[in-house]
Each structure stands twice: as structure tokens, then as C-alpha cells.
């Protein structure tokens, strides 16, 4: 693993912003505003908790084996990218259910 600086570069910020915008885009749903807002916040909360916990568990399980020490910047980026992945896959799953008639409109 290459040595990374703990400072945020323009590339790091751009990647993080793109991932956050992806999360927001794939979390949007249609319907009444208040219901959609509550559902969106619930999804964002779930993605945040899930991604942070998963990244910390993986680091805890692999840190001694692979002898690495991730920086806070790496941990934050990994958690945000995992949350973006979860948002996209959840959206795809709901789309599949809607297309096959397994989800109520």
C-alpha cells in the first residue's frame, strides 16, 4: 500500500463530493415531500451507520494480518464509497422489484 498524506487533496475532495452526490441522487424517491424526506433521512442514516461499522470491522480484522495503519482520511473515504455502493445497489434492487411487480407502487 502506498504512503498517503493525511491532508485532503483536490482529487480526494472531488471523489468524496461525487460519492456524496451519488448517495443523494440514488436515495431520492417520488411521493409526498414529507414522506420522501423522512424516508431519505432514514436511508442516509442506515447507509452511514452500516458503512462506518463495516469499515471499522474490516480494519479491525485485517490490520494485524496485513500490517497497515489506515489514516482517518482513508477510513472516511472508504466509508463514503461503501455508503455510495449501498445506495446504488438498494436503488437497483428496488427498481428490479418495481419492474417485476413484487413491490407495491
Amino acid at each position: 500500500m502506498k504512503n498517503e498524506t493525511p491532508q485532503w487533496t483536490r482529487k480526494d475532495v472531488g471523489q468524496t463530493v461525487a460519492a456524496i452526490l451519488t448517495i443523494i441522487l440514488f436515495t431520492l424517491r417520488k411521493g409526498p415531500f414529507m414522506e420522501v424526506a423522512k424516508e431519505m433521512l432514514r436511508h442516509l442514516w442506515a447507509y452511514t451507520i452500516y458503512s462506518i461499522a463495516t469499515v471499522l470491522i474490516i480494519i479491525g480484522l485485517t490490520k494485524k494480518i496485513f500490517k497497515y495503519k489506515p489514516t482517518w482520511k482513508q477510513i472516511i473515504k472508504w466509508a463514503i464509497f461503501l455508503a455510495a455502493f449501498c445506495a446504488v445497489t438498494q436503488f437497483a434492487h428496488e427498481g428490479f422489484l418495481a419492474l417485476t411487480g413484487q413491490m407495491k407502487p
Side-chain angles (χ1 to χ4, degrees):
M1 199 179 237
K2 64 182 179 180
N3 237 348
E4 286 195 22
T5 61
Q7 286 80 25
W8 287 81
T9 63
R10 176 175 243 136
K11 181 181 176 183
D12 293 329
V13 172
Q15 289 174 342
T16 304
V17 167
I20 290 171
L21 290 176
T22 301
I23 294 168
I24 292 170
L25 176 70
F26 283 95
T27 307
L28 290 175
R29 302 293 186 264
K30 68 177 184 174
F33 177 74
M34 287 308 289
E35 290 179 28
V36 170
K38 287 178 188 176
E39 191 67 19
M40 186 176 177
L41 290 175
R42 190 178 68 81
H43 278 270
L44 291 173
W45 176 253
Y47 297 149
T48 302
I49 296 300
Y50 172 78
S51 63
I52 291 171
T54 302
V55 166
L56 291 177
I57 288 170
I58 290 172
I59 289 171
L61 292 173
T62 62
K63 195 161 137 180
K64 282 190 177 180
I65 296 170
F66 298 113
K67 293 178 177 47
Y68 70 96
K69 180 148 177 56
T71 63
W72 279 107
K73 180 180 83 169
Q74 289 174 318
I75 294 170
I76 291 168
K77 283 177 61 176
W78 293 342
I80 290 172
F81 293 146
L82 182 60
F85 177 75
C86 292
V88 171
T89 55
Q90 178 68 27
F91 182 81
H93 175 69
E94 290 176 6
F96 174 77
L97 291 178
L99 287 174
T100 58
Q102 299 178 41
M103 187 169 81
K104 297 176 184 175

